[in-house]
């Protein structure tokens, strides 16, 4: 039986661990307590003697192929980018939610709708913890959800003096521990494709605390970017701006630096390899292919969110919120825009898979 020692050899030492936290979340929730996340975000042994070699941390790691077939079967995965029952461009009907949202505020509007109608008791989201920094958060109220809306990183004039490395990634799966402790039974999870995949792996095995996750909301993801002091300096040069003038930062088709005096600097993601987490080079999922619903700004008009409906549950929830919490742009009225939008999402998805496959070949292993 393979265990965490093998994850160290096969995933961590090869630079493939993207810190999703799945292994630690399971081992902690079930009270084995052998693992923890280090200060650098990497999983490690907390107490090796507590490891009973159950092998579950190994099996649920998204970088391990063992459960790939079962995970695909679970969500009726089909090529080229997972199940697609429908697509939409939407935004929050409530202006308060819309203005707080990253793109159209759809994720927050949907979560609010589900919470207020008693379909969920809580949601694992990620709230702002400081400039360029977010932390996983178990939201149980309207206020919690609104506080966690958005993804863009507000900055402060003194950002140049920050010395720590900030990251766009938030280890939201770790909040599963909160779910296990507080006995919530119907929880929605918002996260990156790798996190959603780790959760689905747990679901295949039927292990706690993934049984409480009833709705999987995935975010498109081109990569996780680190903003250390050196990276921030290089970005200033590439984008020809100063951090003191920056209002907020967002990732969409490119890195968007919004300036206080108006205007946006666009930096191509291809130019950001120097600040991308190494493991993200081998990741082939752009559109959160294992989610119930996937969301991104790519392909949508400014202030709207592109939505991919993937499972019957996702379709039911989206259709219920439609017209109430969500304003949905009609295919008939914007058919050309829709076609262009979906073509763009498919192109980005394909490009990410191709790059991952090339990088994996170089590394000497086949992409999961
Ligand atoms: C790391 C990351 C990379 C992304 N890359 C792309 C990209 O390349 N292209 C693209 O089109 N879209 C990308 N997105 C998705 C995009 O930024 C929006 O989240 C998405 O369009 C939904 O917008 P919204 O206004 O409907 O959501 P909102 O209503 O603003 O809700 C966003 C939800 O995401 C949660 N959240 C914010 N940050 C994180 C995080 N780091 N980890 C987990 N949850 C988080 C918030 O708590 C909130 O619940 C990325 C998102 C993240 C978090
Ligand atoms: S007890 Fe199981 S889940 Fe925890 S580290 Fe050991 S093998 Fe992994
Ligand atoms: S489960 Fe996630 S955090 Fe753990 S080794 Fe795999 S990729 Fe890394
Ligand atoms: S690129 Fe892949 S591995 Fe990296 S944060 Fe996004 S989903 Fe996770």
């Amino acid at each position: 039986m393979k265990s965490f020692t093998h994850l160290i050899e096969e995933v961590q030492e090869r630079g493939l661990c993207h810190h999703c936290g799945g292994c630690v979340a399971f081992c902690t929730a079930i009270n084995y307590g052998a693992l923890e996340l280090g200060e650098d975000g990497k999983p490690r042994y907390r107490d090796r003697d507590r490891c009973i070699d159950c092998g579950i941390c190994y099996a649920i790691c998204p970088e391990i192929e063992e459960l790939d077939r079962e995970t695909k079967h679970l969500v009726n995965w089909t090529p080229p980018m997972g199940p697609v029952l429908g697509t939409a461009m939407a935004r929050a009907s409530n202006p308060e939610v819309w203005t707080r949202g990253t793109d159209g505020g759809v994720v927050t509007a949907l979560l609010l709708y589900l919470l207020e109608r008693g379909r969920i008791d809580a949601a694992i989201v990620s709230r702002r913890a400081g400039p360029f920094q977010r932390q996983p958060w178990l939201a149980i109220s309207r206020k919690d959800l609104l506080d966690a809306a958005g993804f863009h990183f507000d900055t402060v004039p003194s950002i140049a003096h920050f010395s720590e490395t900030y990251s766009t990634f938030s280890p939201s799966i770790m909040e599963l521990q909160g779910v296990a402790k507080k006995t919530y039974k119907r929880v929605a999870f918002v996260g990156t494709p790798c996190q959603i995949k780790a959760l689905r792996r747990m679901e295949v095995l039927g292990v706690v605390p993934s049984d409480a996750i009833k709705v999987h909301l995935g975010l498109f993801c081109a990569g996780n970017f680190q903003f250390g002091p050196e990276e921030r300096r290089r970005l200033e040069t590439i984008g020809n701006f100063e951090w003191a003038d920056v209002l907020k930062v967002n990732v969409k088709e490119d890195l968007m630096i919004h300036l206080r005096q108006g205007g946006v600097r666009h930096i191509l993601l291809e130019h950001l390899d120097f600040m991308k987490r190494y493991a993200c080079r081998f990741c082939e999922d752009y559109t959160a292919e294992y989610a119930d619903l996937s969301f991104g700004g790519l392909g949508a008009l400014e202030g709207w969110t592109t939505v991919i409906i993937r499972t019957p549950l996702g379709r039911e929830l989206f259709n219920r919120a439609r017209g109430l919490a969500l304003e949905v742009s009609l295919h008939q009225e914007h058919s050309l825009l829709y076609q262009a939008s979906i073509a763009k999402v498919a192109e980005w998805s394909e490009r990410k898979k191709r790059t991952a496959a090339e990088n994996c070949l170089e590394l000497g292993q086949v992409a999961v």
Side-chain angles (χ1 to χ4, degrees):
M1 176 78 69
K2 289 195 173 181
S3 71
F4 188 69
T5 317
H6 299 91
L7 275 187
I8 297 177
E9 279 165 30
E10 294 174 32
V11 178
Q12 287 196 23
E13 285 176 0
R14 308 183 77 189
L16 298 174
C17 171
H18 34 75
H19 308 184
C20 74
C23 50
V24 185
F26 167 73
C27 192
T28 312
I30 197 99
N31 269 334
Y32 295 155
L35 304 180
E36 67 181 4
L37 275 193
E39 296 78 40
D40 55 3
K42 277 191 204 149
R44 63 183 183 199
Y45 276 117
R46 184 175 75 90
D47 182 351
R48 208 179 177 132
D49 291 342
R50 298 188 68 164
C51 174
I52 60 158
D53 284 329
C54 69
I56 292 180
C57 58
Y58 182 84
I60 61 178
C61 173
E63 286 302 316
I64 297 297
E65 268 186 82
E66 208 170 275
L67 293 177
D68 214 34
R69 202 158 48 96
E70 292 83 348
T71 317
K72 286 195 160 105
H73 182 69
L74 180 75
V75 298
N76 280 324
W77 191 93
T78 45
M81 57 172 186
V84 180
L85 303 186
T87 57
M89 205 186 304
R91 64 179 178 185
S93 310
N94 181 334
E96 188 197 3
V97 180
W98 179 70
T99 41
R100 288 184 185 229
T102 320
D103 292 309
V106 175
V107 176
T108 306
L110 188 62
L111 290 173
L112 284 168
Y113 174 84
L114 297 176
L115 189 71
E116 283 162 5
R117 278 168 184 69
R119 286 291 296 261
I120 56 171
D121 329 301
I124 295 179
V125 290
S126 169
R127 71 172 178 178
R128 186 173 178 270
F132 284 85
Q133 204 175 31
R134 298 187 77 93
Q135 68 183 38
W137 182 246
L138 185 66
I140 54 167
S141 67
R142 179 179 180 83
K143 182 179 178 310
D144 287 351
L145 286 174
L146 285 174
D147 284 350
F151 157 65
H152 44 242
F153 295 87
D154 304 325
T155 62
V156 291
S158 58
I159 188 75
H161 306 302
F162 275 79
S163 57
E164 298 99 313
T165 296
Y166 296 116
S167 153
T168 55
F169 190 77
S170 163
S172 303
I173 286 194
M174 294 308 294
E175 212 40 45
L176 284 178
Q177 296 165 25
V179 170
K181 277 188 211 134
K182 292 182 185 135
T183 66
Y184 291 112
K185 295 276 177 269
R186 294 166 310 154
V187 179
F189 179 89
V190 182
T192 52
C194 55
Q195 295 172 338
I196 300 280
K197 194 169 182 183
L199 276 180
R200 291 298 197 187
R201 293 264 207 261
M202 292 187 201
E203 197 179 335
V204 163
L205 293 181
V207 294
V208 292
S210 69
D211 54 335
I213 305 298
K214 301 293 186 224
V215 187
H216 300 76
L217 304 181
L219 306 172
F220 292 4
C221 185
N224 162 37
F225 298 100
Q226 317 273 348
F227 290 79
E230 177 52 27
E231 285 85 359
R232 292 205 291 272
R233 267 192 294 278
R234 279 180 74 175
L235 267 188
E236 281 184 323
T237 313
I238 298 173
N240 188 25
F241 68 91
E242 287 184 13
W243 282 109
D245 299 330
V246 173
L247 183 65
K248 65 176 188 182
V249 180
N250 193 5
V251 183
K252 210 166 164 175
E253 199 163 337
D254 42 29
L255 183 75
M256 297 157 75
I257 314 268
H258 294 256
L259 301 175
R260 285 176 201 284
Q261 61 270 32
V264 184
R265 295 277 191 277
H266 292 267
I267 304 180
L268 291 177
L269 296 184
E270 294 92 283
H271 295 168
L272 299 182
D273 265 4
F274 69 93
M275 54 191 286
K276 195 178 191 172
R277 182 181 284 160
Y278 180 75
C280 294
R281 286 153 219 250
F282 309 96
C283 169
E284 49 174 16
D285 188 350
Y286 180 75
T287 57
E289 297 171 7
Y290 296 84
D292 291 304
L293 291 159
S294 307
F295 307 88
L298 187 79
L301 295 172
E302 193 58 37
W304 292 75
T305 306
T306 299
V307 183
I308 304 180
I309 300 163
R310 296 195 176 277
T311 62
L313 173 70
R315 180 169 54 196
E316 187 232 315
L317 301 179
F318 186 75
N319 283 341
R320 282 187 188 277
R322 191 182 189 132
L324 297 168
L326 298 179
E327 183 188 340
V328 180
S329 134
L330 293 175
H331 275 259
Q332 303 89 301
E333 284 172 21
H334 301 282
S335 66
L336 283 181
L337 186 66
Y338 263 101
Q339 281 167 24
S341 156
I342 293 314
K344 190 177 265 186
V345 172
E347 180 198 327
W348 277 67
S349 168
E350 202 273 324
R351 196 190 304 169
K352 192 170 178 191
K353 286 185 197 307
R354 196 170 358 107
T355 311
E358 285 163 10
N359 290 341
C360 283
L361 261 185
E362 247 174 59
L363 197 74
Q365 75 151 43
V366 177
V368 172

